[in-house]
Amino acid sequence: MAIRKSTMQEQVAQAIREIEPNDRPVVTFHTITGPSPWLMNELGLIGQLFVKYYFVTLTERVVVVHRASRMSNRPKELVHVIPLDEARTLVTDVKRNALWSSLRFRLPGEEKPTRLNINRYWRTELDQFVPALTGVQIAP
């Protein structure tokens, strides 16, 4: 089970090398979907049925979304590969908070943007991801 951030990022980088050997990850973060991690936690096991875990990686060429294992924190199957020009337009409503930050990301094939919740543990990566992709700094 990967617990260290660097181990998880290396596992994601390896998964990306397998699909595109010439691309290099710039920044990777772990995220949980759903309205609010607090609310989903209060709902217990039932709340966990409504959330999905992902790794989102900005590479030099694309944004890659992998499903993340709930138990081992390893990247699982590849969900989306989104070209940078398209991905720049899909990020909205970035909110930086003390414990859980969030952003809306319109995943391909979805009607509405998906709320991605990012724990404080991954905030540094969020602070790198948004400006590198959109060119807009996150307000503290």
Side-chain angles (χ1 to χ4, degrees), residues 122-139:
W122 294 92
R123 188 180 315 149
T124 302
E125 287 73 18
L126 175 66
D127 290 345
Q128 294 169 0
F129 175 82
V130 172
L133 180 62
T134 67
V136 178
Q137 294 294 325
I138 300 174

Side-chain angles (χ1 to χ4, degrees), residues 31-37 39-54 67 70 107 110 114-117:
T31 184
I32 302 169
T33 65
S36 164
L39 175 62
M40 295 295 105
N41 198 33
E42 287 297 316
L43 294 174
L45 187 57
I46 293 186
Q48 290 302 304
L49 296 174
F50 295 101
V51 299
K52 295 176 184 170
Y53 293 75
Y54 293 114
R67 193 168 315 280
R70 292 175 190 245
L107 296 169
E110 300 287 327
T114 300
R115 179 177 163 151
L116 302 180
N117 300 295

